[in-house]
Amino acid sequence: MPVNHRLLFLLFLLSFETAQRLVSGDPNDEACLTNLRQSLEDPANNLRNWTKSFFSNPCSGFSSYLHGVICNNGRIYKLSLTNLSLRGSISPFLSNCTNLQSLDLSSNQISGEIPPQLQFLVNLAVLNLSSNRLSGQISPQLALCAYLNVIDLHDNQLSGQIPYQFGLLARLSAFDVSNNKLSGQIPSNLAMRNGNLPRFNASSFIGNKKLFGYPLEEMKNKGLSIMAIVGIGLGSGIASLVISFTGVCIWLKITEKKMEEEEGKISHSMPVY
């Protein structure tokens, strides 16, 4: 076969492969969407176009046919399924969306655990699973998503300790695990930066009864100080009232005694008929 013909044949193969990818989409994204849809319940029918026919080719450049899906160069890079009354659980096969950079399933009724398999989303920068019914422990393996800069898990039923590894995420700029059932000490590397500068304040941790450590201790101490001041004020007020009342009672007693003495003098000076 002549050289020119070989080049043309190779170009044909490359163009055919590219066209096939554009038509069929990425098989990893297809597996990701298929399994996620199977794990979720959609009573409000918000995901009605999430059907198998679209899973094989969900992207068209930067846009997508599927609700809540945003693409980049033919791959899914953002999933935003917020406030859709979704139930069910999070599929561990979500990790097949290997190009995913933002995952937002907030404000639904999703239950179960956060799959540790999400650690394979190596490009993930935003993880928002807040305001659901998620339970179980937070996997420290999620810290393997080294590009994470947002972790929002507030208002769930998560238990156990906050993974110390989260404090090692250099890009982490927003962190919220408030209103869960977490326990133990807050990792110091989440509370403070190098140089003893505050990193995340108490609002990121409040609403966990068994969670302790800075910055929650500082908040509690401030609360105690305020209560002490109020207590002292109330105590002083009550003491003042007691002293004033005692003084009035003594004055009334003295006045009553003087009146009795005066009456006695008057009765002695009156003539007897």
Side-chain angles (χ1 to χ4, degrees):
M1 185 181 291
V3 176
N4 289 338
H5 287 178
R6 287 180 181 177
L7 284 172
L8 287 172
F9 182 70
L10 288 172
L11 287 172
F12 172 76
L13 287 176
L14 287 170
S15 59
F16 178 77
E17 186 179 352
T18 304
Q20 192 176 29
R21 285 181 181 178
L22 289 173
V23 171
S24 62
D26 190 279
N28 287 321
D29 285 353
E30 182 179 0
C32 168
L33 294 173
T34 301
N35 285 282
L36 180 62
R37 182 63 189 91
Q38 289 175 354
S39 69
L40 293 175
E41 299 173 17
D42 180 28
N45 201 27
N46 289 307
L47 304 180
R48 52 187 170 274
N49 69 334
W50 275 55
T51 58
K52 190 174 181 180
S53 59
F54 287 119
F55 293 159
S56 59
N57 185 26
C59 296
S60 176
F62 290 91
S63 61
S64 174
Y65 311 105
L66 300 175
H67 179 87
V69 176
I70 299 175
C71 299
N72 182 16
N73 198 26
R75 292 294 309 277
I76 298 171
Y77 96 101
K78 184 176 182 179
L79 274 174
S80 181
L81 304 175
T82 64
N83 198 24
L84 297 178
S85 302
L86 298 175
R87 299 173 186 169
S89 59
I90 301 173
S91 170
F93 292 98
L94 194 58
S95 59
N96 284 69
C97 285
T98 52
N99 205 47
L100 196 65
Q101 296 180 31
S102 177
L103 175 61
D104 190 346
L105 302 177
S106 61
S107 301
N108 285 293
Q109 301 173 38
I110 300 171
S111 57
E113 298 185 354
I114 301 172
Q117 290 85 350
L118 296 186
Q119 66 178 294
F120 298 115
L121 297 174
V122 294
N123 296 305
L124 195 66
V126 175
L127 177 63
N128 188 351
L129 305 177
S130 62
S131 300
N132 277 288
R133 298 175 180 175
L134 297 170
S135 57
Q137 298 189 5
I138 305 172
S139 173
Q141 293 170 311
L142 292 177
L144 292 174
C145 302
Y147 292 106
L148 276 171
N149 58 66
V150 174
I151 298 177
D152 193 350
L153 305 175
H154 77 265
D155 285 288
N156 277 289
Q157 299 171 24
L158 299 168
S159 58
Q161 297 186 341
I162 300 172
Y164 179 85
Q165 292 85 345
F166 282 179
L168 303 176
L169 292 167
R171 297 171 183 245
L172 193 62
S173 58
F175 183 77
D176 192 348
V177 291
S178 60
N179 300 316
N180 277 282
K181 298 179 180 180
L182 298 170
S183 59
Q185 186 166 5
I186 297 170
S188 57
N189 54 6
L190 280 173
M192 304 291 290
R193 298 181 188 275
N194 291 334
N196 294 325
L197 296 173
R199 189 174 186 185
F200 300 111
N201 59 32
S203 63
S204 296
F205 307 100
I206 59 173
N208 295 280
K209 293 181 180 180
K210 296 182 180 180
L211 200 62
F212 62 91
Y214 182 87
L216 286 183
E217 290 301 320
E218 184 181 65
M219 185 182 70
K220 289 176 182 177
N221 289 337
K222 284 182 179 177
L224 286 172
S225 298
I226 292 168
M227 290 299 292
I229 292 168
V230 171
I232 291 168
L234 287 172
S236 300
I238 293 168
S240 298
L241 286 171
V242 170
I243 292 169
S244 299
F245 181 74
T246 304
V248 170
C249 290
I250 293 171
W251 179 79
L252 287 171
K253 194 71 176 176
I254 293 170
T255 304
E256 185 182 357
K257 190 174 181 181
K258 285 183 177 180
M259 289 178 66
E260 287 177 354
E261 290 177 354
E262 290 294 328
E263 287 177 359
K265 289 178 182 179
I266 292 169
S267 63
H268 284 302
S269 60
M270 289 179 66
V272 179
Y273 295 98

